[in-house]
Amino acid sequence: MSDKAVKVGSGQAWWVWGIGVFAYLVAVTQRTSFGVAGLEATERFDASASILATFSVVQLVVYAALQIPVGLMIDKFGSRRLIIFGAVLMAIGQMLLALATSVPAGLVGRFFVGAGDAMTFVSVIRLISAWFPGYRVPMLTQFTGMVGQLGQLLSLVPFVALLHWAGWAPSFLSLAALCVIAFVLSLVAVRDQPRGTAPLPAGPQAKSLAVLREAWHEPGTRLGFWTHFSLQFTSNVFLLAWGYPFLVSGQGLDPTVASGLMTIFVVVALVFGPLFGAVVSRHPLRRSTLALTIIILIAASWATVLLWPGRAPIAVLVVLMTLVAVGGPGSMIGFDFARTFNAPRIIGTATGIVNVGGFTAALVSVYFIGLILDLQFAAAGGSGELYNLGAFRWALAFQFIPLALGALGIVVTRRKTRAHLAETGVVLVPLLQAIAERRWRRGGHRGI
């Protein structure tokens, strides 16, 4: 291999990013596969709703708990090692799950899947900062999330088809094989930074706690945390645990129709990812307003479906899933806060903090939704259907709590962030005033 320097944004950069995104796509496939296998898992493990929720909760707990340690490790060891190790862990986890016949064995498998998944996305985001100029980072971050979500399509279509045709073990072993491919490609092609460039600044030599404290002390990091908290969790709840059972058992849809409708998440990511990337690039001072708007739309869509008399029409369900899916690319705004408000030497740590948000909200929501379903089933004396529409209405309404908490967190932390910006001379006028001034200028009144 030549020692010739490689330019930032070069052709090799696109290869490195492409393989990194493929590894993330594989991770998303592993993450979402159990959600579409929920009904089969109920039979295989003879599990109640709360036990079924525990599989997703374990995965999410591990994922969320590892985000900050992973961010610290990226700042110290680089992205390549973590992407490779993550692929190995996910392969082990899916092999264990394929062979599991008891709940404890299955939970161990999901533990490994969550650990491997936790190492992938944040590592790829760090690769973007290392290999591309700053003006391309917001758009490439959105494209990473967008392309990675194609992993949902793999779990919704070929995996579901294989699950119904070949059964549990062959299906999950095929997912393990996909992780092996990601491992080999990452080992061969991924590098932490362009050859010949100065090493990325390492984090402070102080203890990890000091690095974490420095990143969290930045108001922009906390703003990113609450943005991700609010926007990411609803799509995770839908995709990782309760969306498919809600559509099939609650709304009475055919399983094939339900799987087809859930592909909306992929389509929305493909459409809104580039759109949000362009908006954030052009209007970086209005990112929190965009996030709050999306939260309001998600809450309104859930309220409409849960209050609908009887089963909701397909069109209403499509609107619900579209708006919930918008939260996925919308949550990428949180990572842009981490990037723009933190020094390069601690971006990995700050990104890890942000990524904790949505998955923490998701694991709490997934667990309590399952618990509420079980409590209602027990209150009915164990008679009737476990997953009925009435029970789902009360259980899924739990999501309004983290939605409200996240919106409050955004409002509070953006005030602190804007105050911090004002100290540097950047004063943000109210949105309506900015729109009025822009119209005034367009009307030929410049200089008046």
Side-chain angles (χ1 to χ4, degrees):
M1 182 179 293
S2 172
D3 291 331
K4 186 178 179 180
V6 178
K7 293 182 179 180
V8 171
S10 66
Q12 186 182 353
W14 293 102
W15 276 106
V16 170
W17 175 72
I19 298 301
V21 170
F22 175 75
Y24 176 53
L25 181 151
V26 170
V28 172
T29 305
Q30 317 306 314
R31 182 193 306 167
T32 57
S33 59
F34 194 84
V36 296
L39 297 178
E40 288 80 2
T42 301
E43 297 178 1
R44 182 177 181 86
F45 299 110
D46 191 23
S48 65
S50 56
I51 293 297
L52 184 64
T54 303
F55 279 89
S56 296
V57 167
V58 165
Q59 177 186 347
L60 291 170
V61 166
V62 174
Y63 187 103
L66 285 179
Q67 285 309 294
I68 293 175
V70 164
L72 293 167
M73 286 189 287
I74 291 172
D75 288 334
K76 185 173 182 179
F77 300 112
S79 298
R80 180 175 180 266
R81 294 180 184 177
L82 271 71
I83 293 174
I84 291 171
F85 190 48
V88 172
L89 290 178
M90 287 186 287
I92 293 173
Q94 295 294 41
M95 285 189 289
L96 290 173
L97 189 62
L99 302 175
T101 56
S102 66
V103 170
L107 291 176
V108 172
R110 293 315 283 175
F111 177 93
F112 279 98
V113 170
D117 184 15
M119 298 182 178
T120 308
F121 178 73
V122 180
S123 299
V124 177
I125 295 300
R126 179 62 184 259
L127 283 178
I128 295 173
S129 298
W131 280 90
F132 292 93
Y135 70 91
R136 283 182 174 171
V137 172
M139 185 65 74
L140 285 175
T141 300
Q142 285 291 346
F143 270 110
T144 298
M146 178 186 73
V147 178
Q149 296 313 305
L150 291 175
Q152 298 174 15
L153 194 60
L154 293 181
S155 62
L156 287 169
V157 182
F159 175 73
V160 168
L162 185 61
L163 184 64
H164 292 161
W165 174 68
W168 183 274
S171 302
F172 280 94
L173 287 175
S174 70
L175 294 177
L178 198 59
C179 295
V180 173
I181 296 174
F183 163 77
V184 173
L185 292 176
S186 301
L187 184 66
V188 172
V190 173
R191 296 294 180 269
D192 288 324
Q193 63 189 69
R195 188 172 57 252
T197 59
L200 289 173
Q205 296 302 311
K207 295 181 179 179
S208 297
L209 184 59
V211 182
L212 176 61
R213 186 182 299 112
E214 180 181 355
W216 179 254
H217 182 71
E218 169 56 55
T221 302
R222 301 197 299 275
L223 180 57
F225 172 90
W226 288 115
T227 300
H228 196 265
F229 181 100
S230 309
L231 296 178
Q232 180 73 8
F233 89 93
T234 52
S235 58
N236 277 333
V237 167
F238 207 96
L239 289 169
L240 300 185
W242 297 119
Y244 189 80
F246 171 66
L247 294 176
V248 174
S249 298
Q251 294 293 333
L253 298 182
D254 181 82
T256 303
V257 175
S259 294
L261 285 179
M262 290 180 73
T263 61
I264 288 173
F265 283 82
V266 179
V267 176
V268 169
L270 293 174
V271 173
F272 283 88
L275 176 61
F276 288 164
V279 171
V280 168
S281 296
R282 293 186 60 185
H283 305 286
L285 297 180
R286 303 297 177 184
R287 291 171 289 185
S288 60
T289 301
L290 175 59
L292 288 170
T293 301
I294 298 171
I295 292 170
I296 293 171
L297 292 174
I298 291 173
S301 65
W302 269 117
T304 300
V305 170
L306 297 181
L307 293 174
W308 196 276
R311 290 172 172 170
I314 291 288
V316 175
L317 294 175
V318 168
V319 172
L320 167 69
M321 287 186 285
T322 299
L323 293 175
V324 170
V326 166
S331 69
M332 299 294 107
I333 298 170
F335 299 113
D336 204 54
F337 284 128
R339 178 185 66 86
T340 54
F341 285 103
N342 286 277
R345 58 189 172 79
I346 60 170
I347 283 180
T349 303
T351 303
I353 292 173
V354 170
N355 211 24
V356 168
F359 290 94
T360 300
L363 70 90
V364 171
S365 298
V366 166
Y367 176 75
F368 275 98
I369 289 170
L371 180 62
I372 294 169
L373 286 170
D374 273 348
L375 290 175
Q376 292 179 93
F377 186 67
S383 61
E385 295 182 3
L386 174 60
Y387 300 136
N388 63 75
L389 182 56
F392 265 123
R393 281 197 173 110
W394 286 105
L396 291 172
F398 178 84
Q399 295 174 101
F400 292 110
I401 297 175
L403 278 172
L405 180 61
L408 178 62
I410 291 176
V411 171
V412 172
T413 53
R414 81 168 178 175
R415 287 177 182 172
K416 296 180 179 179
T417 304
R418 288 177 176 180
H420 181 68
L421 286 175
E423 294 174 359
T424 65
V426 180
V427 179
L428 187 62
V429 300
L431 180 59
L432 293 179
Q433 179 183 339
I435 293 174
E437 291 176 352
R438 187 172 183 180
R439 287 179 177 175
W440 181 268
R441 289 194 299 269
R442 285 182 174 179
H445 300 284
R446 295 182 179 87
I448 295 178

Short mmCIF file of all heavy atoms in Angstrom, two decimals, residues 395-434:
data_model
loop_
_atom_site.label_atom_id
_atom_site.label_comp_id
_atom_site.label_asym_id
_atom_site.label_seq_id
_atom_site.Cartn_x
_atom_site.Cartn_y
_atom_site.Cartn_z
N ALA A 395 -52.43 1.12 26.34
CA ALA A 395 -50.99 0.86 26.44
C ALA A 395 -50.17 1.83 25.59
O ALA A 395 -49.18 2.41 26.07
CB ALA A 395 -50.71 -0.58 26.02
N LEU A 396 -50.58 2.02 24.34
CA LEU A 396 -49.81 2.88 23.45
C LEU A 396 -49.92 4.35 23.82
O LEU A 396 -49.08 5.16 23.41
CB LEU A 396 -50.25 2.66 22.00
CG LEU A 396 -49.89 1.29 21.42
CD1 LEU A 396 -50.54 1.09 20.05
CD2 LEU A 396 -48.37 1.13 21.30
N ALA A 397 -50.96 4.70 24.60
CA ALA A 397 -51.09 6.09 25.06
C ALA A 397 -49.94 6.48 25.99
O ALA A 397 -49.70 7.68 26.20
CB ALA A 397 -52.43 6.28 25.77
N PHE A 398 -49.22 5.50 26.53
CA PHE A 398 -48.07 5.80 27.38
C PHE A 398 -47.04 6.67 26.65
O PHE A 398 -46.30 7.44 27.28
CB PHE A 398 -47.40 4.49 27.84
CG PHE A 398 -46.18 4.70 28.69
CD1 PHE A 398 -46.31 4.91 30.06
CD2 PHE A 398 -44.92 4.75 28.13
CE1 PHE A 398 -45.19 5.13 30.85
CE2 PHE A 398 -43.79 4.96 28.91
CZ PHE A 398 -43.93 5.16 30.27
N GLN A 399 -47.01 6.58 25.31
CA GLN A 399 -46.02 7.32 24.54
C GLN A 399 -46.13 8.83 24.69
O GLN A 399 -45.16 9.56 24.46
CB GLN A 399 -46.13 6.96 23.06
CG GLN A 399 -45.79 5.52 22.75
CD GLN A 399 -46.08 5.18 21.30
OE1 GLN A 399 -45.17 5.14 20.47
NE2 GLN A 399 -47.34 4.97 20.98
N PHE A 400 -47.31 9.31 25.07
CA PHE A 400 -47.47 10.76 25.22
C PHE A 400 -46.61 11.31 26.36
O PHE A 400 -46.26 12.49 26.35
CB PHE A 400 -48.94 11.11 25.45
CG PHE A 400 -49.81 10.86 24.25
CD1 PHE A 400 -50.74 9.84 24.25
CD2 PHE A 400 -49.68 11.64 23.11
CE1 PHE A 400 -51.54 9.61 23.14
CE2 PHE A 400 -50.48 11.41 21.99
CZ PHE A 400 -51.41 10.39 22.00
N ILE A 401 -46.28 10.46 27.32
CA ILE A 401 -45.46 10.92 28.45
C ILE A 401 -44.04 11.27 28.00
O ILE A 401 -43.57 12.40 28.21
CB ILE A 401 -45.46 9.87 29.58
CG1 ILE A 401 -46.87 9.69 30.14
CG2 ILE A 401 -44.49 10.29 30.69
CD1 ILE A 401 -46.99 8.60 31.18
N PRO A 402 -43.31 10.34 27.35
CA PRO A 402 -41.97 10.73 26.87
C PRO A 402 -42.00 11.81 25.78
O PRO A 402 -41.06 12.61 25.68
CB PRO A 402 -41.37 9.42 26.35
CG PRO A 402 -42.52 8.50 26.18
CD PRO A 402 -43.55 8.90 27.17
N LEU A 403 -43.07 11.85 24.97
CA LEU A 403 -43.17 12.92 23.98
C LEU A 403 -43.23 14.29 24.66
O LEU A 403 -42.52 15.23 24.25
CB LEU A 403 -44.41 12.72 23.10
CG LEU A 403 -44.30 11.73 21.94
CD1 LEU A 403 -45.67 11.50 21.31
CD2 LEU A 403 -43.31 12.22 20.89
N ALA A 404 -44.05 14.39 25.69
CA ALA A 404 -44.16 15.66 26.42
C ALA A 404 -42.87 16.00 27.15
O ALA A 404 -42.42 17.16 27.15
CB ALA A 404 -45.33 15.59 27.40
N LEU A 405 -42.26 14.99 27.78
CA LEU A 405 -41.00 15.21 28.51
C LEU A 405 -39.91 15.68 27.57
O LEU A 405 -39.15 16.61 27.88
CB LEU A 405 -40.59 13.92 29.22
CG LEU A 405 -39.29 13.97 30.03
CD1 LEU A 405 -39.40 14.99 31.15
CD2 LEU A 405 -38.96 12.59 30.60
N GLY A 406 -39.82 15.04 26.40
CA GLY A 406 -38.79 15.42 25.43
C GLY A 406 -39.00 16.83 24.89
O GLY A 406 -38.03 17.60 24.74
N ALA A 407 -40.25 17.18 24.60
CA ALA A 407 -40.53 18.53 24.11
C ALA A 407 -40.15 19.58 25.15
O ALA A 407 -39.57 20.62 24.82
CB ALA A 407 -42.01 18.65 23.74
N LEU A 408 -40.46 19.29 26.42
CA LEU A 408 -40.08 20.21 27.50
C LEU A 408 -38.57 20.35 27.59
O LEU A 408 -38.03 21.45 27.76
CB LEU A 408 -40.66 19.72 28.82
CG LEU A 408 -40.31 20.55 30.06
CD1 LEU A 408 -40.88 21.97 29.93
CD2 LEU A 408 -40.85 19.88 31.33
N GLY A 409 -37.87 19.21 27.46
CA GLY A 409 -36.41 19.23 27.50
C GLY A 409 -35.82 20.08 26.38
O GLY A 409 -34.85 20.82 26.58
N ILE A 410 -36.40 20.00 25.18
CA ILE A 410 -35.92 20.80 24.06
C ILE A 410 -36.11 22.29 24.34
O ILE A 410 -35.21 23.11 24.11
CB ILE A 410 -36.65 20.40 22.76
CG1 ILE A 410 -36.22 19.00 22.32
CG2 ILE A 410 -36.35 21.41 21.64
CD1 ILE A 410 -36.97 18.48 21.10
N VAL A 411 -37.29 22.65 24.82
CA VAL A 411 -37.59 24.06 25.07
C VAL A 411 -36.63 24.64 26.11
O VAL A 411 -36.08 25.75 25.93
CB VAL A 411 -39.05 24.22 25.54
CG1 VAL A 411 -39.30 25.64 26.03
CG2 VAL A 411 -40.02 23.88 24.41
N VAL A 412 -36.38 23.89 27.18
CA VAL A 412 -35.51 24.39 28.25
C VAL A 412 -34.06 24.48 27.78
O VAL A 412 -33.39 25.51 27.98
CB VAL A 412 -35.61 23.47 29.49
CG1 VAL A 412 -34.55 23.86 30.52
CG2 VAL A 412 -37.00 23.55 30.09
N THR A 413 -33.55 23.43 27.13
CA THR A 413 -32.13 23.43 26.76
C THR A 413 -31.84 24.35 25.58
O THR A 413 -30.72 24.87 25.47
CB THR A 413 -31.67 22.01 26.41
OG1 THR A 413 -32.55 21.43 25.42
CG2 THR A 413 -31.65 21.12 27.63
N ARG A 414 -32.82 24.59 24.71
CA ARG A 414 -32.52 25.52 23.62
C ARG A 414 -32.43 26.96 24.13
O ARG A 414 -31.70 27.78 23.55
CB ARG A 414 -33.53 25.38 22.49
CG ARG A 414 -34.85 26.10 22.66
CD ARG A 414 -35.61 26.10 21.35
NE ARG A 414 -36.91 26.73 21.46
CZ ARG A 414 -37.71 26.93 20.43
NH1 ARG A 414 -37.35 26.52 19.22
NH2 ARG A 414 -38.88 27.51 20.58
N ARG A 415 -33.15 27.28 25.21
CA ARG A 415 -32.98 28.60 25.81
C ARG A 415 -31.56 28.78 26.31
O ARG A 415 -30.94 29.83 26.11
CB ARG A 415 -33.97 28.77 26.97
CG ARG A 415 -35.42 28.97 26.55
CD ARG A 415 -36.33 29.05 27.76
NE ARG A 415 -37.74 29.20 27.38
CZ ARG A 415 -38.73 29.13 28.22
NH1 ARG A 415 -38.50 28.93 29.53
NH2 ARG A 415 -39.99 29.27 27.81
N LYS A 416 -31.04 27.74 26.95
CA LYS A 416 -29.66 27.81 27.45
C LYS A 416 -28.66 27.86 26.30
O LYS A 416 -27.65 28.57 26.37
CB LYS A 416 -29.38 26.61 28.36
CG LYS A 416 -30.23 26.58 29.62
CD LYS A 416 -29.92 25.37 30.48
CE LYS A 416 -30.77 25.37 31.75
NZ LYS A 416 -30.51 24.18 32.61
N THR A 417 -28.95 27.10 25.24
CA THR A 417 -28.06 27.09 24.08
C THR A 417 -28.05 28.44 23.40
O THR A 417 -26.99 28.96 23.01
CB THR A 417 -28.50 26.00 23.08
OG1 THR A 417 -28.55 24.74 23.75
CG2 THR A 417 -27.53 25.91 21.92
N ARG A 418 -29.23 29.04 23.25
CA ARG A 418 -29.30 30.36 22.62
C ARG A 418 -28.63 31.42 23.47
O ARG A 418 -28.02 32.36 22.94
CB ARG A 418 -30.76 30.72 22.34
CG ARG A 418 -31.36 29.89 21.20
CD ARG A 418 -32.83 30.19 20.98
NE ARG A 418 -33.35 29.45 19.83
CZ ARG A 418 -34.60 29.51 19.39
NH1 ARG A 418 -35.48 30.29 20.04
NH2 ARG A 418 -34.99 28.81 18.34
N ALA A 419 -28.73 31.29 24.80
CA ALA A 419 -28.04 32.22 25.69
C ALA A 419 -26.53 32.09 25.52
O ALA A 419 -25.80 33.09 25.51
CB ALA A 419 -28.44 31.96 27.14
N HIS A 420 -26.07 30.85 25.36
CA HIS A 420 -24.64 30.60 25.14
C HIS A 420 -24.20 31.20 23.80
O HIS A 420 -23.12 31.80 23.70
CB HIS A 420 -24.38 29.10 25.17
CG HIS A 420 -22.95 28.72 24.97
ND1 HIS A 420 -21.97 29.00 25.89
CD2 HIS A 420 -22.32 28.09 23.93
CE1 HIS A 420 -20.80 28.56 25.45
NE2 HIS A 420 -20.99 28.00 24.27
N LEU A 421 -25.04 31.07 22.76
CA LEU A 421 -24.72 31.66 21.46
C LEU A 421 -24.68 33.18 21.55
O LEU A 421 -23.83 33.84 20.92
CB LEU A 421 -25.76 31.23 20.42
CG LEU A 421 -25.68 29.79 19.91
CD1 LEU A 421 -26.86 29.50 18.99
CD2 LEU A 421 -24.37 29.55 19.17
N ALA A 422 -25.60 33.76 22.33
CA ALA A 422 -25.65 35.21 22.47
C ALA A 422 -24.36 35.75 23.08
O ALA A 422 -23.90 36.85 22.73
CB ALA A 422 -26.85 35.62 23.32
N GLU A 423 -23.75 34.95 23.96
CA GLU A 423 -22.48 35.37 24.57
C GLU A 423 -21.36 35.46 23.53
O GLU A 423 -20.40 36.19 23.71
CB GLU A 423 -22.09 34.39 25.67
CG GLU A 423 -23.03 34.41 26.87
CD GLU A 423 -22.67 33.33 27.88
OE1 GLU A 423 -21.71 32.57 27.61
OE2 GLU A 423 -23.34 33.25 28.93
N THR A 424 -21.52 34.71 22.43
CA THR A 424 -20.51 34.74 21.36
C THR A 424 -20.89 35.72 20.25
O THR A 424 -20.21 35.80 19.23
CB THR A 424 -20.34 33.34 20.75
OG1 THR A 424 -21.58 32.94 20.11
CG2 THR A 424 -19.97 32.33 21.81
N GLY A 425 -22.00 36.46 20.45
CA GLY A 425 -22.40 37.46 19.47
C GLY A 425 -23.45 37.01 18.48
O GLY A 425 -23.82 37.77 17.58
N VAL A 426 -23.93 35.77 18.60
CA VAL A 426 -24.96 35.24 17.69
C VAL A 426 -26.31 35.38 18.37
O VAL A 426 -26.62 34.66 19.31
CB VAL A 426 -24.70 33.77 17.33
CG1 VAL A 426 -25.79 33.25 16.40
CG2 VAL A 426 -23.33 33.61 16.69
N VAL A 427 -27.11 36.34 17.91
CA VAL A 427 -28.42 36.60 18.49
C VAL A 427 -29.48 36.10 17.52
O VAL A 427 -29.51 36.49 16.36
CB VAL A 427 -28.63 38.10 18.77
CG1 VAL A 427 -30.02 38.34 19.34
CG2 VAL A 427 -27.55 38.60 19.73
N LEU A 428 -30.35 35.22 18.01
CA LEU A 428 -31.39 34.62 17.17
C LEU A 428 -32.71 35.33 17.41
O LEU A 428 -33.26 35.31 18.51
CB LEU A 428 -31.53 33.13 17.52
CG LEU A 428 -32.44 32.30 16.63
CD1 LEU A 428 -31.92 32.27 15.20
CD2 LEU A 428 -32.56 30.87 17.16
N VAL A 429 -33.22 35.97 16.36
CA VAL A 429 -34.51 36.66 16.48
C VAL A 429 -35.63 35.64 16.40
O VAL A 429 -35.46 34.56 15.82
CB VAL A 429 -34.67 37.72 15.37
CG1 VAL A 429 -33.57 38.76 15.46
CG2 VAL A 429 -34.69 37.07 13.99
N PRO A 430 -36.82 35.94 16.95
CA PRO A 430 -37.95 35.01 16.86
C PRO A 430 -38.26 34.66 15.41
O PRO A 430 -38.07 35.48 14.50
CB PRO A 430 -39.09 35.78 17.52
CG PRO A 430 -38.41 36.73 18.45
CD PRO A 430 -37.14 37.11 17.77
N LEU A 431 -38.77 33.44 15.21
CA LEU A 431 -39.00 32.94 13.86
C LEU A 431 -39.96 33.83 13.07
O LEU A 431 -39.69 34.17 11.91
CB LEU A 431 -39.54 31.51 13.92
CG LEU A 431 -39.84 30.85 12.57
CD1 LEU A 431 -38.60 30.78 11.71
CD2 LEU A 431 -40.43 29.46 12.79
N LEU A 432 -41.08 34.22 13.67
CA LEU A 432 -42.06 35.04 12.95
C LEU A 432 -41.46 36.39 12.57
O LEU A 432 -41.73 36.92 11.48
CB LEU A 432 -43.31 35.23 13.82
CG LEU A 432 -44.14 33.97 14.08
CD1 LEU A 432 -45.34 34.30 14.96
CD2 LEU A 432 -44.61 33.35 12.76
N GLN A 433 -40.65 36.94 13.45
CA GLN A 433 -39.99 38.21 13.13
C GLN A 433 -39.01 38.03 11.98
O GLN A 433 -38.94 38.88 11.07
CB GLN A 433 -39.26 38.74 14.36
CG GLN A 433 -38.50 40.06 14.11
CD GLN A 433 -37.74 40.51 15.34
OE1 GLN A 433 -38.04 40.11 16.47
NE2 GLN A 433 -36.73 41.35 15.14
N ALA A 434 -38.27 36.91 11.98
CA ALA A 434 -37.32 36.65 10.90
C ALA A 434 -38.05 36.49 9.56
O ALA A 434 -37.59 36.99 8.52
CB ALA A 434 -36.51 35.39 11.21
#
